[in-house]
Amino acid sequence: MKAIIESLLVEMEESLKRVTQETFNELQKVERCGRVVNGILIKLKAFMSTYQFMNSEEEILFFKEYKPTFLKELIFYSELTYLESKKPIGKKEQVKNYYHHMMDQMQDFFARNHQLYIYHQLDRSDQDELLFLKNSKPVSLIPDYTIDFDPEFSSINSSNLARIMAYEDLTEYVRKRLVNLDMGVDTLGKEKARHEWTDSKSALIELAYALHSRGAVNHGKSDVKLIISIMESLFNVQVGNFYRTFQSMRGRKKGRTIFLDSLKDSLEKRMDETDMGYH
């Protein structure tokens, strides 16, 4: 299962990069990204339809980590398509009020799913068997009626977790748009699109944490979130929940600094080749 899912993740990231590098307007890019993710999810569902979990740990891994990673992207692009297509064309204050209204709607969802949201924020795992098995009961006391769920591919808490993760990314997107409106700039313009981050999102997060740990930005006074925000704007990328990615890096059994190690190797190789007169 792991190998198939990781190959689908790579396919999804590479396909999304290709779409964002093409010369569509922003709304077209978002809509096409949604179609890419939907196609990947269809492949994932086809694979899982014939797959039997080896144990409860693997089942939890799928519904807590793997499935939400794909589904949150679909939700994000679907919601972003709606958000930007409905955005008013007019004065700055009208646009700001619209964004604030959308933020309020997302906060309502967080409030309705407060227990799951806190569990996710704290990166807990002690209640995983109650929350992320196929037959797990919903966390919220408010009924969540679903007649279209495929019980072999979906669970209430897994789907709600994916929406929480998507809304976190969307909230950050809206927050940046509000800042841009206040500053009178548009970081989604054509100039920005010339600079694309072409490595993995986890690689950017690893680099940002390294810069922060070294105190290399603003004499160490800038926090990780600000450093990542700057890099996102510079390289036209959204990394999502960087804290959870960092926690995953900490848990790596072999090589916790894969990207930094590869940077060092690449630079030393270039120096060696330069010494030998190749460049």
Side-chain angles (χ1 to χ4, degrees):
M1 179 182 80
K2 181 180 179 182
I4 296 295
I5 288 178
E6 287 183 349
S7 70
L8 287 174
L9 280 171
V10 171
E11 182 182 347
M12 181 175 72
E13 284 204 359
E14 290 179 348
S15 297
L16 290 175
K17 284 178 185 177
R18 284 197 297 272
V19 171
T20 57
Q21 289 167 358
E22 293 173 351
T23 56
F24 304 119
N25 65 43
E26 289 304 319
L27 191 56
Q28 287 176 327
K29 284 183 182 180
V30 170
E31 190 272 335
R32 283 166 170 78
C33 284
R35 275 195 269 159
V36 164
V37 179
N38 188 61
I40 297 292
L41 267 169
I42 290 173
K43 292 181 180 180
L44 176 63
K45 185 174 183 179
F47 168 72
M48 295 306 297
S49 66
T50 59
Y51 184 81
Q52 294 293 323
F53 294 116
M54 293 186 293
N55 48 47
S56 61
E57 287 77 16
E58 191 178 54
E59 186 174 333
I60 288 169
L61 181 63
F62 177 77
F63 285 113
K64 184 183 181 184
E65 302 290 342
Y66 290 147
K67 174 79 181 294
T69 298
F70 292 96
L71 184 56
K72 73 136 180 167
E73 296 291 342
L74 182 64
I75 295 170
F76 173 79
Y77 287 116
S78 175
E79 293 290 328
L80 185 55
T81 301
Y82 176 81
L83 184 147
E84 288 298 336
S85 66
K86 295 293 183 180
K87 183 177 67 177
I89 301 175
K91 296 180 179 179
K92 181 171 72 174
E93 288 304 314
Q94 289 179 301
V95 178
K96 288 176 65 176
N97 288 338
Y98 170 76
Y99 279 139
H100 281 299
H101 175 67
M102 300 305 292
M103 290 268 278
D104 289 341
Q105 290 186 354
M106 289 185 282
Q107 290 301 317
D108 285 343
F109 182 81
F110 292 147
R112 286 203 319 271
N113 295 275
H114 179 71
Q115 290 175 283
L116 185 60
Y117 178 64
I118 294 300
Y119 190 84
H120 160 69
Q121 284 286 302
L122 296 177
D123 199 29
R124 285 173 53 180
S125 59
D126 55 296
Q127 301 294 313
D128 282 357
E129 290 192 358
L130 295 176
L131 297 174
F132 296 110
L133 294 173
K134 283 186 290 188
N135 298 320
S136 295
K137 298 291 189 293
V139 177
S140 176
L141 296 176
I142 301 173
D144 194 344
Y145 299 109
T146 54
I147 60 174
D148 295 328
F149 260 39
D150 178 350
E152 298 301 315
F153 188 63
S154 305
S155 77
I156 296 292
N157 294 325
S158 180
S159 295
N160 283 341
L161 176 60
R163 189 166 292 275
I164 285 171
M165 294 164 68
Y167 281 1
E168 285 178 330
D169 291 350
L170 199 59
T171 297
E172 183 65 15
Y173 170 89
V174 173
R175 186 191 67 78
K176 288 179 180 178
R177 297 299 286 154
L178 287 168
V179 170
N180 294 341
L181 284 169
D182 286 335
M183 295 175 63
V185 298
D186 182 6
T187 59
L188 297 180
K190 294 180 180 178
E191 186 67 27
K192 179 186 172 184
R194 296 178 186 176
H195 309 287
E196 298 284 344
W197 180 261
T198 54
D199 214 301
S200 68
K201 293 179 182 179
S202 61
L204 187 145
I205 293 169
E206 188 177 323
L207 178 60
Y209 268 93
L211 292 172
H212 178 259
S213 301
R214 175 68 178 172
V217 180
N218 199 24
H219 302 288
K221 296 178 182 178
S222 297
D223 62 20
V224 174
K225 185 174 182 179
L226 178 59
I227 294 172
I228 288 177
S229 180
I230 292 169
M231 295 173 76
E232 285 180 324
S233 296
L234 178 62
F235 295 119
N236 193 20
V237 62
Q238 296 287 327
V239 302
N241 191 331
F242 59 87
Y243 178 74
R244 285 180 62 82
T245 302
F246 180 66
Q247 295 307 310
S248 297
M249 291 177 188
R250 289 178 57 202
R252 289 172 180 167
K253 294 181 179 179
K254 293 184 179 179
R256 298 202 291 180
T257 54
I258 296 172
F259 181 63
L260 295 178
D261 293 343
S262 69
L263 279 183
K264 179 175 177 291
D265 292 342
S266 297
L267 181 56
E268 288 183 342
K269 180 181 179 183
R270 180 170 182 173
M271 289 177 172
D272 291 342
E273 291 175 346
T274 301
D275 292 342
M276 297 174 68
Y278 294 159
H279 295 284

